[in-house]
Each structure stands twice: as structure tokens, then as C-alpha cells.
């Protein structure tokens, strides 16, 4: 009898330890095996202050390389060209070299020095033993998106409504009124710094797990690149999110042609509320036309 009580007590003690780790919910374990693998095999890399920079840069250039390959194949591959918003406006090598040159310039002049400074002065990233729950992982990414969406909407609106801000900082991005993937970071240094600052600070303000922070980083880079890619694929975000809640490629393409509309980077609600929302018509993607503020280069 006493032995049975001892075994029961030990079982209850073990279950209590499991509850402390998982919060008493089986879903908490969903990300734990992957997180354990990362901690065991890539601990030093993940702790490095350089890791977020490496992750963001490699993600961006991987996506850009993929879309650029599609751009080069599109003129001779109708199965690709049929998904382009502007099938009659191919992306040319001069377009690629110009935008790639500005991208590399910004990385060398701004991102690389910032990364070195962060590496020298920032403490290693603390890595908790527990992974985030699936709920907190996705809710954290969503929260960062909502906050960033508001911040960038205000920033973007001001840089269109205030002529000095537009001419000095934002006009360079609108030199292409039919964007392609490399236009994503065809930016001034100030705009690149602003976007990077909010993307870094927002997960800290929301106290996100580092895995959630990296997930938000990768997803936001994917979305920004997709917004500028110039393709309307069935699996694009605006085709997956219902009720027109998502901006997406067609709306951002319309923004480059009519810069007084569609300022938000992710969702559509701020444009709806402020009266700056516009749903593009198919003709908007076939007519070149001048923008409302400047005549852009043809993509």
C-alpha cells in the first residue's frame, strides 16, 4: 500500500513538472522539438547579435533571386508571363542592374556598419529553454504586423503628403511605377532605417519570444518582396486572405501608379478608414500612364 502511494506521489510530481514546462496544454509542445534542435545544434549562431541581420539579408536576397529568375524567364515562358500584372512590360537587365546597385550600396553603407556596431555593443541574445506556444507564436507575429502596419501607414502617408519629405526621402522608391522584386529595397537610407527600426523594436515592445521575432522578420520580408514582385499568383497573400482585408501585389502596384492610394504595407483597414483605399481595375495594370506625383520609369 505504501509502495503504491509512493508511486502515485512520484507520478503526480512528474506530471507537475510537465505542466510547468508546457502550461498544461499539449499544443505547447508543437514547436519544442524544433526549438530543442536549434538550441542543440546552432546555439552560438542564434545567440549572436549578427544572426537577425544574417537571417534578414539571406531571406531577402533568396526571394529576390527567385523572382528575378521568373522575370528573366517570363518573356519567353507564357506560363509565367500570364501571371504578371504587366505582361507587356518586361523587366530588363538595365532595370535589374540599377536597382541591384542601389540595394548593394545601401547594404554596404548602412546595413553592414549597423550590423558591426550591433555585434560589438549588443549583448548576446538570451535563448529560453522553452519554445513559444503555437498560439503565442502566431499571435505575436500578428500583433507585430498590426503595430507595424499602423506605424508605416502614418510614415508613408506623411512622406506623400509633405512635399519636402517626398522629394527628399521617398521619391526614389517611386521611380518605378510598375515595380518588380528588386524595387522592394530601392530606397533612401532614411526609409531603410525607419523600416528596420520598427521591425526590430515592435517585437521587443510586445515582449515576443525570439523565435516569434525571427518569424515576424522573415514573414515581413516575404510580404514586402511579394508586394513589389509584380505577379498575381493564386497563392499570393491577397488571394488567400478573404474579404479584401489584405493589401497585396495589385494594390501596391496601383499605389506606384496612383501614389495617393493604398499606403498600408499589410492590411487594408487603415486605407478604408482614411479614404485612401483603391481596388485596382484590370486596365490599371495594362495602362502605363503618369503617376499623380511624378512620371516613373517603366518597369
Amino acid at each position: 500500500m505504501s509502495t503504491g502511494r509512493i508511486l502515485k506521489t512520484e507520478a503526480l510530481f512528474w506530471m507537475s513538472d510537465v505542466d510547468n514546462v508546457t502550461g498544461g496544454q499539449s499544443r505547447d509542445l508543437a514547436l519544442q522539438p524544433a526549438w530543442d534542435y536549434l538550441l542543440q545544434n546552432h546555439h552560438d549562431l542564434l545567440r549572436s547579435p549578427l544572426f537577425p541581420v544574417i537571417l534578414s539579408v539571406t531571406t531577402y536576397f533568396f526571394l529576390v533571386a527567385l523572382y528575378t529568375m521568373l522575370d528573366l524567364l517570363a518573356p519567353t515562358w507564357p506560363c509565367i508571363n500570364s501571371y504578371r500584372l504587366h505582361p507587356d512590360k518586361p523587366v530588363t537587365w538595365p532595370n535589374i542592374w540599377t536597382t541591384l546597385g542601389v540595394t548593394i550600396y545601401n547594404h554596404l553603407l548602412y546595413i553592414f556598419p549597423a550590423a558591426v556596431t550591433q555585434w560589438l555593443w549588443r549583448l548576446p541574445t538570451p535563448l529560453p529553454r522553452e519554445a513559444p506556444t503555437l498560439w503565442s507564436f502566431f499571435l505575436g507575429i500578428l500583433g507585430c504586423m498590426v503595430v507595424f502596419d499602423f506605424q508605416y501607414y502614418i510614415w508613408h502617408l506623411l512622406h506623400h503628403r509633405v512635399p519636402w519629405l517626398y522629394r527628399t526621402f521617398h521619391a526614389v522608391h517611386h521611380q518605378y511605377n510598375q515595380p518588380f522584386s528588386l524595387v522592394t529595397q530601392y530606397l533612401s537610407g532614411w526609409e531603410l532605417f525607419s523600416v528596420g527600426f520598427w521591425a526590430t523594436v515592435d517585437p521587443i515592445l510586445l515582449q515576443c519570444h525570439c523565435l516569434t521575432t525571427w518569424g515576424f522578420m522573415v514573414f515581413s520580408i516575404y510580404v514586402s518582396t511579394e508586394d513589389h514582385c509584380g505577379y498575381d499568383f493564386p497563392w499570393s497573400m491577397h488571394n488567400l486572405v478573404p474579404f479584401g482585408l489584405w493589401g497585396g501585389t495589385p494594390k501596391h502596384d496601383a499605389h506606384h501608379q496612383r501614389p495617393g492610394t493604398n499606403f498600408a504595407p499589410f492590411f487594408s483597414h487603415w486605407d478604408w478608414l482614411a479614404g485612401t483605399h483603391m481596388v485596382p481595375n484590370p486596365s490599371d495594370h495594362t495602362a502605363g500612364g503618369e503617376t499623380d506625383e511624378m512620371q516613373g520609369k517603366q518597369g
Side-chain angles (χ1 to χ4, degrees):
M1 191 70 174
S2 59
T3 303
R5 290 180 178 177
I6 292 175
L7 292 175
K8 185 177 180 180
T9 302
E10 290 180 349
L12 291 173
F13 180 76
W14 177 82
M15 291 175 64
S16 176
D17 283 347
V18 172
D19 286 344
N20 288 336
V21 174
T22 65
Q25 301 174 5
S26 59
R27 70 168 182 258
D28 292 4
L29 295 174
L31 296 175
Q32 194 64 48
W35 183 239
D36 289 339
Y37 172 83
L38 291 174
L39 290 179
Q40 183 177 355
N41 295 278
H42 305 286
H43 183 270
D44 292 339
L45 174 63
L46 297 178
R47 292 188 74 235
S48 172
L50 288 178
F51 176 70
V53 180
I54 296 172
L55 180 64
S56 61
V57 170
T58 54
T59 299
Y60 176 70
F61 278 105
F62 171 78
L63 293 171
V64 163
L66 179 61
Y67 282 121
T68 301
M69 181 178 65
L70 296 179
D71 292 335
L72 295 175
L73 292 175
T76 55
W77 289 40
C79 60
I80 298 175
N81 203 48
S82 62
Y83 290 108
R84 296 194 71 239
L85 295 176
H86 304 282
D88 58 331
K89 301 290 184 180
V91 178
T92 65
W93 276 109
N95 297 149
I96 293 172
W97 291 126
T98 300
T99 50
L100 182 61
V102 171
T103 300
I104 294 175
Y105 173 83
N106 283 337
H107 277 72
L108 292 177
L109 189 65
Y110 300 110
I111 294 180
F112 179 72
V116 172
T117 302
Q118 185 169 266
W119 177 60
L120 292 174
W121 295 102
R122 186 176 177 181
L123 295 175
T125 303
L127 302 177
R129 294 181 60 86
E130 293 79 26
T133 67
L134 274 178
W135 172 252
S136 64
F137 179 76
F138 288 112
L139 188 63
I141 292 177
L142 178 61
C144 290
M145 290 168 56
V146 170
V147 174
F148 183 91
D149 199 62
F150 173 73
Q151 293 165 332
Y152 190 77
Y153 180 86
I154 298 299
W155 186 99
H156 201 182
L157 183 68
L158 288 175
H159 281 70
H160 276 270
R161 296 294 171 84
V162 179
W164 180 80
L165 291 175
Y166 182 84
R167 290 193 307 268
T168 307
F169 300 114
H170 193 52
V172 61
H173 186 63
H174 278 271
Q175 289 181 18
Y176 291 89
N177 62 7
Q178 290 151 10
F180 51 98
S181 62
L182 276 164
V183 177
T184 307
Q185 291 192 10
Y186 189 75
L187 308 168
S188 66
W190 166 246
E191 184 166 358
L192 185 66
F193 171 79
S194 301
V195 172
F197 176 77
W198 289 324
T200 301
V201 169
D202 289 346
I204 298 175
L205 294 177
L206 297 182
Q207 298 181 354
C208 293
H209 190 284
C210 51
L211 189 62
T212 306
T213 300
W214 301 330
F216 165 67
M217 184 183 304
V218 170
F219 183 72
S220 63
I221 293 171
Y222 168 76
V223 170
S224 61
T225 308
E226 183 188 75
D227 279 354
H228 292 86
C229 74
Y231 290 89
D232 187 2
F233 291 118
W235 56 83
S236 297
M237 287 295 299
H238 65 278
N239 289 324
L240 299 178
V241 179
F243 311 119
L245 295 174
W246 196 261
T249 312
K251 291 181 183 178
H252 194 73
D253 184 87
H255 168 75
H256 274 258
Q257 296 181 54
R258 292 173 173 78
T261 63
N262 299 338
F263 293 106
F266 296 138
F267 304 102
S268 297
H269 60 280
W270 289 115
D271 284 304
W272 288 341
L273 293 172
T276 55
H277 180 258
M278 188 196 75
V279 178
N281 297 316
S283 59
D284 295 328
H285 301 311
T286 57
E290 288 192 0
T291 66
D292 293 344
E293 299 178 38
M294 63 178 291
Q295 174 63 38
K297 298 177 181 178
Q298 297 300 313

